[in-house]
Amino acid sequence: MPRVDEATRELFEAALAVRANAHAPYSRFAVGAAIRAENGRVYTGCNVENAAYPQGTCAEAGAISAMVADGQRRIVAVLTVTGGEAVSTCCGGCRQRIREFGDPQTPIYAAGLEGVRGSFTLDELLPHSFGPENLRGS
Ligand SMILES: [Zn+2]
């Protein structure tokens, strides 16, 4: 794994561990996600597919739900772990989900099983985004 700080390593290990619980019998593409919230805690999620395909949920969505259920509203960093050879970043829907609780500079790490493969900001993945502040004053 490229050199990453201890906080990022903790996210990687949490996402790798939760990925083992992914329910992905259809795509066989297991994903684990770990989020650090403003309180310093790490929240995790894995993808959960469904025989009615559109009903499946992303790993990031599960991690965000866990964070919100714990009373947190600010994302400090996100890391996902996927298999395969590519640098797999969050899907478009999850970029928007992160936008709700993050800011343009929120770091998003894309990791493979061996470690972090890419590092992005939310603004790089979702430029000119629409967020909660766009609704203020309307
Ligand atoms: Zn997604």
Side-chain angles (χ1 to χ4, degrees):
M1 179 157 65
R3 288 176 56 92
V4 295
D5 62 21
E6 194 57 37
T8 305
R9 176 171 291 280
E10 182 185 9
L11 286 179
F12 171 74
E13 290 173 359
L16 183 65
V18 75
R19 180 179 176 273
N21 295 331
H23 178 69
Y26 310 109
S27 72
R28 301 196 179 283
F29 191 76
V31 182
I35 290 172
R36 185 176 308 282
E38 198 168 35
N39 65 353
R41 287 194 59 192
V42 174
Y43 300 92
T44 61
C46 56
N47 54 330
V48 181
E49 295 179 353
N50 192 287
Y53 290 176
Q55 301 306 318
T57 56
C58 290
E60 298 92 319
I64 290 170
S65 291
M67 179 193 81
V68 171
D70 196 38
Q72 295 298 300
R73 293 292 185 273
R74 296 299 302 166
I75 293 174
V76 173
V78 179
L79 185 147
T80 57
V81 174
T82 64
E85 301 294 318
V87 176
S88 295
T89 56
C90 305
C91 78
C94 286
R95 294 175 190 196
Q96 186 64 45
R97 289 185 179 99
I98 294 165
R99 176 67 176 84
E100 182 72 13
F101 303 105
D103 63 51
Q105 298 311 310
T106 299
I108 300 175
Y109 301 97
L113 304 183
E114 78 289 355
V116 173
R117 293 176 176 170
S119 173
F120 310 89
T121 65
L122 177 58
D123 193 52
E124 288 174 316
L125 296 181
L126 192 68
H128 309 290
S129 63
F130 184 89
E133 66 279 4
N134 293 100
L135 297 176
R136 293 190 193 119
S138 62

